[in-house]
Amino acid sequence: MRLGEIAHIVGQSTHERSPRGADPLSETLRDEADNLMLLCAQGHTEIDAKATQDVFTVTWLRGLKQEHEDRIKHVTGMSPSRATTVVRMMGPVHGKAVELSRQTAASAVTARHRFPLFLESYSRHGVEIDLRHTPGEEGTASGDPLSAGAASRSYYRQAAQVIDEVIRHQLRPGVERGSVQHVSVFGFARLPLLVYLGSRLDDTVPTDVYQRHRSEQSWVWPTETGPGTEFAVRADGGELVGGEAVVILNVSGRITPHEVPTELAALRCYEISPANAATCPDILRQHASLRHLEDTLRDFLARLETEAKTLRRVHVLPAIPMSAAVALGRVHHPQVHPQLVIYERLAGSYVPTLEVGQTTS
């Protein structure tokens, strides 16, 4: 069943009833490919309607054709090694979610010279983790920290089960078969769940993590023009006592010392913050900045492994972008590193919500 129709940019003849036929293009060139477009019947009728001639001009249609052809040449020019399996996780944050469609993800990975691999076994949508219908997120908005904390832990347990199911039944079989050679991760959800998602991804598969940029309202990483923001680790200087410590991630915002829960005040505290910039919501505007932060987190955990062998648990207070939360989960090795207890600011206080990894004896 043929659905496409051949449409002329400059009308086939110079007759007054031929759409855009008055253009000076030679009649001998009007049936050449450069002057033709493949459209659906409705689109063909729309561009040729007399009432739309001042909208669908020759210049506009030629620009549309050129843009489409450039995109197709770009995508089809990539080798099979540039394929990537898209993992999208969507969940509400304070009752709100953002647009994260398959097309949005495809545009972002194409901009990084990869093409999205939507396998039939993934329902042609890649790997999709939809937390928007998981009950309980609204309960985290309670005005009482204890009630909000209890509600969040219940919500997180259910959401973690959803993540586990999708990873176990969709992504992992593809990795084991060898059909998943590269992964692109898009996540919009509460920070503890993004850390958990990162911890469930296979660290042996090359992975790109994408960030939603507030200024452009886009998931496309901007073209890099500099070295990016670097990060540093600072310890409070106290001795490490017992098997627990605190790490404050002051990256996109700042958590002050008086905001640290009183029950953690006596523990040794580490702070990770920008080394050559101020904290701000769009601090990971460049992909290089995310790589620097990931390297800092990996070095920090390696440092704990060598310097604090008795450490069993690290309490994490994060003020970080969502992509950084995924990166934190990815660099954490549950068999090597201390368990992470991820806190979240609820009802004006930081409360523990989700644990990543197992405690060591």
Side-chain angles (χ1 to χ4, degrees):
M1 183 177 181
R2 188 175 62 194
L3 298 178
E5 295 185 0
I6 299 295
H8 288 77
I9 296 176
V10 174
Q12 191 173 28
S13 75
T14 58
H15 192 278
E16 61 179 10
R17 296 181 60 184
S18 182
R20 298 167 296 278
D23 188 272
L25 182 69
S26 170
E27 289 190 64
T28 61
L29 300 177
R30 297 193 179 198
D31 285 331
E32 297 294 320
D34 284 347
N35 190 51
L36 301 177
M37 303 177 71
L38 183 64
L39 302 176
C40 66
Q42 181 178 342
H44 194 176
T45 300
E46 186 176 353
I47 70 165
D48 283 355
K50 188 174 182 179
T52 62
Q53 294 300 295
D54 59 337
V55 177
F56 299 113
T57 63
V58 171
T59 300
W60 190 89
L61 290 172
R62 283 174 176 165
L64 183 67
K65 175 182 171 74
Q66 186 65 54
E67 179 183 333
H68 175 73
E69 290 181 348
D70 288 347
R71 182 173 64 86
I72 295 302
K73 288 177 181 177
H74 174 67
V75 173
T76 57
M78 297 180 190
S79 70
S81 64
R82 301 302 295 173
T84 184
T85 296
V86 174
V87 176
R88 290 179 296 143
M89 186 167 85
M90 298 157 287
V93 177
H94 303 301
K96 298 180 180 179
V98 301
E99 190 275 334
L100 182 46
S101 66
R102 170 182 169 176
Q103 184 56 51
T104 296
S107 297
V109 300
T110 302
R112 289 192 63 78
H113 308 291
R114 289 194 175 274
F115 63 90
L117 189 61
F118 296 110
L119 302 179
E120 291 290 345
S121 59
Y122 299 155
S123 302
R124 298 187 65 81
H125 289 277
V127 178
E128 182 177 287
I129 305 172
D130 192 346
L131 304 178
R132 291 172 294 184
H133 305 295
T134 303
E137 195 272 341
E138 65 279 358
T140 62
S142 169
D144 175 51
L146 292 178
S147 299
S152 70
R153 285 188 288 273
S154 173
Y155 168 67
Y156 287 144
R157 281 194 297 270
Q158 296 179 76
Q161 291 175 0
V162 175
I163 296 171
D164 287 339
E165 283 292 307
V166 175
I167 296 297
R168 184 183 304 117
H169 296 297
Q170 293 190 32
L171 184 63
R172 190 162 296 162
V175 173
E176 293 172 353
R177 289 195 305 267
S179 57
V180 174
Q181 300 287 333
H182 184 278
V183 173
S184 293
V185 182
F186 297 78
F188 186 92
R190 288 189 174 264
L191 292 180
L193 292 174
L194 292 168
V195 177
Y196 188 78
L197 171 65
S199 73
R200 302 292 287 130
L201 297 174
D202 194 319
D203 198 37
T204 63
V205 178
T207 300
D208 284 338
V209 181
Y210 286 78
Q211 168 70 31
R212 183 173 182 269
H213 306 285
R214 295 190 182 188
S215 54
E216 294 92 356
Q217 301 291 297
S218 169
W219 290 87
V220 176
W221 283 108
T223 302
E224 298 186 15
T225 57
T229 303
E230 297 185 356
F231 300 86
V233 180
R234 181 182 65 83
D236 65 0
E239 292 295 325
L240 185 64
V241 179
E244 303 189 33
V246 177
V247 58
I248 300 176
L249 301 176
N250 285 331
V251 177
S252 57
R254 190 157 199 85
I255 300 171
T256 60
H258 77 269
E259 293 179 283
V260 177
T262 54
E263 62 271 21
L264 304 180
L267 300 179
R268 185 174 191 180
C269 182
Y270 299 88
E271 179 189 353
I272 297 178
S273 58
N276 55 350
T279 61
C280 68
D282 242 357
I283 193 165
L284 298 187
R285 179 174 172 77
Q286 293 178 260
H287 190 253
S289 299
L290 178 60
R291 291 197 302 268
H292 290 321
L293 179 57
E294 186 172 324
D295 289 342
T296 301
L297 292 169
R298 184 177 284 108
D299 291 345
F300 169 66
L301 290 173
R303 171 182 170 182
L304 292 183
E305 181 186 348
T306 58
E307 294 181 0
K309 296 184 180 296
T310 61
L311 198 61
R312 296 180 297 105
R313 184 179 292 112
V314 175
H315 302 268
V316 181
L317 278 64
I320 55 178
M322 292 185 178
S323 60
V326 178
L328 172 59
R330 287 196 69 238
V331 301
H332 178 262
H333 195 301
Q335 277 76 47
V336 176
H337 300 137
Q339 181 188 63
L340 302 181
V341 182
I342 312 299
Y343 284 63
E344 189 173 21
R345 187 178 177 86
L346 300 172
S349 301
Y350 280 92
V351 297
T353 57
L354 191 64
E355 297 171 351
V356 175
Q358 300 295 320
T359 55
T360 57
S361 58

